[in-house]
């Protein structure tokens, strides 16, 4: 075996299997509130651009992950909720389970792992499920996060691209900070693309679409969400300090935008910039406007030429126009806050971060 | 409309970072101790010394912590802490890596007292 084959063999061990079609898609509580356009964009890309079959079921509920991580929901309760979700998947004739939330992905991974190691526990939960709902327990053949799916089809998306992650004026690749959710690759590394050491899920997309990944010292540091430190208001100073550390560390590399695969990370890295700007009057970009933070569906959507307001990018705390201008994306500023039926929605106040 | 966000009451503040930049702190004392007592380099911060230390049982003195602070160049208040040590040497007996802790403590006291007196002189000169 030569050196290249050896490396390929090692890298193969870091790859995860991802289903090809017939996906059972489950939504995220956080994303539906903060990035409602992203889940819609995922469905649009899958169905309209890639021609895949993606099933949703209105009976799907929260996974209760936030309650679980804050010690409100007990383990057998969340296991039973998850068992019900899996049985919905089976009822819909699917085997590929695709959660949109990284917290949920971590929960599903943890529970599948628990059942694998403790079959008695699986039996017990099957019994609970039967008693509570009359349903039969099923487990997915394949569990993949929505970012895994977009990663898998990144080259197909690149082939249909209208824009590249390139600065239209300079012709240089855009510099991108990629942030992986801790619950995606740090807990059950074998279920992530590239494992703990080389998480490749976002890198693969960025490189396939023409961008350049920034490797900065605090790249793998947590965004600070972490449930417990955020949920109690008095503790939020600790949560924001984590993002602060990352922003300070990435600042010298002049990132054009940040992309995250976890709803909590994207939300906090976006909103904490507003908080830090408000508390200390500082931002981490050169123009004093903040660094735009995208979801991977928004990044894919921009590459495919979908209108940024259709992607829901007006929901961002840090305005995305600086990035749109760099990419040369055509957008109508007057349509930013138009709702359905072209009804004008209230505009948020203009924010100035600098101190007097 | 421009929102005046600087006057908002957030209900919390940004926690200060515990980051230590080793390029900016004073590591001369740590280096001198490493030169004079090379076993200091072997410390793995296991805390065996602290667990056995009688002085540590009755005061907030923590020899493992003092060792670590010296290595990080965080010297404030360490001299006063070391005054709790009785130089009994129990820590030396239990150390799994054979760090000559008693010798390290003596060196720390000597070097920190020089450091403290320099600081005092500097302060007084500034005040004059
Ligand atoms: S020599 Fe000092 S530090 Fe070591 S055990 Fe005795 S009192 Fe504690
Ligand atoms: S027992 Fe030895 S190795 Fe452990 S912390 Fe103390 S000095 Fe270091």
């Amino acid at each position: 075996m030569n050196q290249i084959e050896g490396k390929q063999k090692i890298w193969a061990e870091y790859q995860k299997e991802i289903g090809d079609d017939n996906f059972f898609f489950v939504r995220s509580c956080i994303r539906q509130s903060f990035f409602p356009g992203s889940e819609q964009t995922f469905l649009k890309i899958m169905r309209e651009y890639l021609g895949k079959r993606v099933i949703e079921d209105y009976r799907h509920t929260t996974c209760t992950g936030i309650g679980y991580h804050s010690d409100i929901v007990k383990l057998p309760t969340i296991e039973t909720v998850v068992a019900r979700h899996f049985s919905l998947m089976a009822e819909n004739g699917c085997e590929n389970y695709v959660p949109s939330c990284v917290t949920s992905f971590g929960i599903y991974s943890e529970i599948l792992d628990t059942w694998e190691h403790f079959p008695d526990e699986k039996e017990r939960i099957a019994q609970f499920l039967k008693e509570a709902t009359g349903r039969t327990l099923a487990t997915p053949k394949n569990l993949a996060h929505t970012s895994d799916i977009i990663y898998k089809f990144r080259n197909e998306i690149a082939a249909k691209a209208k824009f590249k992650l390139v600065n239209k004026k300079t012709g240089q690749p855009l510099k991108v900070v990629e942030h992986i959710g801790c619950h995606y690759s740090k807990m059950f590394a074998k279920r992530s693309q590239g494992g703990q050491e080389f998480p490749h899920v976002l890198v693969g997309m960025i490189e396939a679409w023409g961008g350049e990944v920034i490797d900065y010292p605090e790249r793998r540091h947590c965004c600070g969400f972490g449930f417990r430190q955020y949920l109690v208001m008095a503790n939020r100073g600790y949560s924001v300090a984590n993002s602060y550390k990352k922003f300070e560390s990435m600042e010298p590399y002049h990132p054009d935008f940040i992309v995250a695969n976890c709803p909590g990370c994207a939300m906090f890295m976006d909103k904490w910039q507003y908080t830090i700007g408000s508390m200390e009057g500082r931002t981490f970009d050169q123009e004093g406007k903040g660094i735009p933070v995208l979801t991977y569906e928004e990044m894919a959507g921009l590459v495919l030429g979908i209108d940024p307001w259709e992607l829901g990018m007006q929901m961002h705390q840090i305005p995305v126009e600086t990035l749109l201008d760099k990419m040369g994306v055509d957008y109508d500023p007057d349509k930013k806050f138009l709702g359905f039926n072209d009804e004008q929605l209230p505009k948020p106040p203009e924010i100035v971060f600098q101190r007097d | 409309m421009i929102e005046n966000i600087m006057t908002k009451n957030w209900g919390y503040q940004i926690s200060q970072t515990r980051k230590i930049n080793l390029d900016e702190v004073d590591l001369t004392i740590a280096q001198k101790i490493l030169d004079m007592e090379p076993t200091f380099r072997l410390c793995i911060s296991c805390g065996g010394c602290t667990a056995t230390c009688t002085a540590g049982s009755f005061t907030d003195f923590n020899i493992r912590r003092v060792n670590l602070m010296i290595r990080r160049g965080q010297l404030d208040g360490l001299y006063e802490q070391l005054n709790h040590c009785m130089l009994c040497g129990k820590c030396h007996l239990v150390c799994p890596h054979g760090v000559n802790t008693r010798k390290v403590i003596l060196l720390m006291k000597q070097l920190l007292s020089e450091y403290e007196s320099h600081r005092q002189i500097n302060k007084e000169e500034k005040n004059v």
Side-chain angles (χ1 to χ4, degrees):
Chain A
M1 190 185 295
N2 65 32
Q3 209 182 6
I4 292 181
E5 283 170 347
K7 282 188 178 165
Q8 281 168 343
K9 187 167 176 284
I10 294 170
W11 183 234
E13 284 167 20
Y14 286 89
Q15 304 303 300
K16 75 181 257 187
E17 206 183 305
I18 301 170
D20 190 60
D21 204 348
N22 278 330
F23 301 104
F24 187 71
F25 172 68
V26 292
R27 294 188 181 239
S28 150
C29 311
I30 304 180
R31 304 191 90 205
Q32 284 175 86
S33 317
F34 293 102
F35 310 100
S38 288
E39 294 190 329
Q40 219 47 42
T41 304
F42 175 78
L43 292 172
K44 186 180 175 118
I45 293 174
M46 294 299 286
R47 289 173 178 157
E48 294 176 24
Y49 286 81
L50 301 169
K52 301 290 175 188
R53 181 171 176 264
V54 187
I55 304 291
E56 274 197 277
D57 193 315
Y58 70 92
R59 291 168 296 173
H60 169 260
T61 62
T62 169
C63 74
T64 70
I66 294 179
Y68 172 61
H69 288 307
S70 22
D71 286 348
I72 295 168
V73 171
K74 297 261 182 284
L75 181 60
T77 310
I78 193 168
E79 282 181 279
T80 313
V81 171
V82 163
R84 180 177 165 277
H85 291 173
F86 288 157
S87 85
L88 284 173
M89 171 200 70
E91 191 186 316
N92 279 283
C94 296
E95 289 183 317
N96 296 325
Y97 197 86
V98 184
S100 153
C101 177
V102 156
T103 304
S104 302
F105 178 75
I107 294 290
Y108 294 124
S109 302
E110 181 179 337
I111 290 175
L112 286 173
D113 213 66
T114 305
W115 291 349
E116 189 186 320
H117 289 96
F118 303 97
D120 292 356
E121 178 68 0
K122 189 177 175 186
E123 277 300 305
R124 192 169 79 111
I125 298 303
Q127 190 62 32
F128 287 165
L129 181 70
K130 188 66 125 197
E131 283 167 18
T133 66
R135 291 177 170 276
T136 309
L137 179 62
T139 49
K141 191 170 133 211
N142 184 271
L143 171 70
H145 183 244
T146 36
S147 61
D148 290 324
I149 309 284
I150 298 283
Y151 171 83
K152 175 163 176 147
F153 298 115
R154 65 194 184 285
N155 294 326
E156 285 85 336
I157 292 172
K160 295 175 195 287
K162 295 232 168 64
F163 294 93
K164 288 192 126 198
L165 299 177
V166 167
N167 186 321
K168 211 177 173 191
K169 273 196 200 123
T170 64
Q172 295 296 312
L174 293 175
K175 292 196 212 128
V176 191
V177 157
E178 54 90 51
H179 179 86
I180 306 284
C182 297
H183 291 208
Y184 171 75
S185 64
K186 290 184 190 165
M187 299 196 307
F188 294 91
K190 71 174 192 304
R191 291 190 182 273
S192 68
Q193 197 65 39
Q196 256 167 359
E197 297 141 283
F198 315 107
H200 198 248
V201 62
L202 294 174
V203 174
M205 293 181 211
I206 295 162
E207 290 179 348
W209 303 336
E212 182 186 313
V213 176
I214 291 176
D215 192 12
Y216 65 106
E218 301 294 353
R219 185 171 170 190
R220 295 290 165 236
H221 196 83
C222 169
C223 73
F225 181 11
F227 304 99
R228 279 164 218 247
Q229 59 260 43
Y230 172 72
L231 291 172
V232 177
M233 189 199 267
N235 292 350
R236 288 181 193 161
Y238 175 68
S239 183
V240 65
N242 283 274
S243 290
Y244 201 123
K245 183 180 254 193
K246 287 182 74 75
F247 295 141
E248 273 188 319
S249 171
M250 70 178 77
E251 187 180 13
Y253 302 87
H254 307 309
D256 293 305
F257 71 98
I258 298 168
V259 61
N261 78 335
C262 171
C265 307
M267 177 176 96
F268 279 102
M269 294 180 79
D270 186 28
K271 297 197 188 318
W272 282 147
Q273 286 190 72
Y274 166 81
T275 309
I276 295 166
S278 314
M279 284 178 164
E280 298 194 347
R282 76 166 291 195
T283 61
F284 302 88
D285 64 323
Q286 287 167 306
E287 292 161 61
K289 291 181 176 169
I291 309 166
V293 184
L294 272 60
T295 65
Y296 49 93
E297 293 105 326
E298 287 170 345
M299 179 167 72
L302 286 182
V303 164
L304 287 169
I306 302 175
D307 186 89
W309 310 145
E310 193 190 324
L311 294 172
M313 295 180 93
Q314 60 278 66
M315 297 291 285
H316 290 214
Q317 198 86 46
I318 299 296
V320 293
E321 281 85 340
T322 45
L323 172 66
L324 302 180
D325 293 340
K326 281 178 194 166
M327 285 178 73
V329 171
D330 226 3
Y331 63 94
D332 185 347
D334 294 334
K335 291 195 172 156
K336 184 168 180 179
F337 295 107
L338 283 190
F340 281 125
N341 309 324
D342 288 345
E343 164 204 1
Q344 183 68 50
L345 303 174
K347 286 184 190 172
E350 190 189 330
I351 292 165
V352 178
F353 287 131
Q354 272 76 13
R355 281 180 190 276
D356 299 333
Chain B
M1 183 178 105
I2 296 186
E3 190 186 9
N4 186 1
I5 47 181
M6 305 301 281
T7 55
K8 256 190 184 149
N9 177 10
W10 292 84
Y12 58 94
Q13 289 178 326
I14 302 172
S15 309
Q16 287 311 302
T17 176
R18 288 278 296 119
K19 186 170 75 183
I20 299 156
N21 188 338
L22 290 178
D23 290 332
E24 284 167 13
V25 293
D26 184 359
L27 295 177
T28 40
I29 293 189
Q31 196 50 53
K32 278 185 187 163
I33 298 171
L34 285 167
D35 291 344
M36 292 192 266
E37 182 47 56
T39 61
F40 187 39
R41 197 179 296 279
L42 303 175
C43 175
I44 50 167
S45 270
C46 66
C49 49
T50 297
T52 199
C53 173
T54 315
S57 302
F58 294 104
T59 68
D60 62 359
F61 171 56
N62 180 334
I63 182 61
R64 179 201 59 82
R65 185 166 176 273
V66 172
N67 286 350
L68 195 64
M69 302 285 274
I70 292 265
R71 294 295 295 262
R72 291 177 172 175
Q74 296 186 304
L75 308 177
D76 287 351
L78 292 191
Y79 185 76
E80 292 75 22
Q81 288 233 359
L82 282 166
N83 283 338
H84 292 296
C85 174
M86 306 170 292
L87 293 173
C88 66
K90 268 162 71 184
C91 48
H92 187 185
L93 291 177
V94 300
C95 176
H97 270 210
V99 179
N100 188 344
T101 42
R102 221 163 69 118
K103 172 91 179 289
V104 168
I105 292 165
L106 277 167
L107 287 170
M108 287 199 276
K109 286 205 76 170
Q110 180 196 332
L111 295 166
L112 281 169
S113 85
E114 289 166 14
Y115 167 81
E116 291 292 338
S117 51
H118 276 302
R119 227 162 56 141
Q120 197 55 35
I121 293 167
N122 282 347
K123 228 192 236 169
E124 280 163 14
E125 277 175 356
K126 257 188 206 158
N127 288 341
V128 170

